[in-house]
Amino acid sequence: VRDRVIARLALATVLVEADEKSGTRYVVEECIRQGKVVFARSGLLERLTWLRRAAARGEVVEWDGPKEILGRL
């Protein structure tokens, strides 16, 4: 339930740090289900299989700095 609430309250989700078995994954999945923008730091896409798959489907946007995020919102 908490993940759905977080996703509904946000305009977008910005991932700075996460692990393969992180609870962050559930927030990201819920944001994607709700059509919210998900931004992931470049290094995370290299490390996390589940995030790389979502990015390949066009569900996650890679970012390196705040200008990229602000330009998409």
Side-chain angles (χ1 to χ4, degrees):
V1 172
R2 183 186 74 198
D3 300 328
R4 282 183 285 202
V5 171
I6 291 169
R8 286 182 183 145
L9 291 174
L11 292 174
T13 297
V14 178
L15 295 179
V16 176
E17 191 59 48
D19 291 315
E20 281 292 343
K21 296 183 179 184
S22 174
T24 303
R25 180 178 182 170
Y26 301 109
V27 174
V28 169
E29 289 172 353
E30 189 60 34
C31 286
I32 290 168
R33 271 193 286 279
Q34 293 183 26
K36 305 286 179 107
V37 180
V38 177
F39 296 98
R41 191 174 51 81
S42 302
L44 291 177
L45 291 174
E46 296 168 8
R47 266 192 16 236
L48 302 174
T49 305
W50 59 270
L51 194 58
R52 209 170 28 253
R53 286 185 193 133
R57 292 188 303 265
E59 299 169 339
V60 174
V61 178
E62 185 175 6
W63 68 279
D64 289 313
K67 289 182 182 180
E68 294 164 334
I69 294 170
L70 293 174
R72 291 285 304 255
L73 293 179

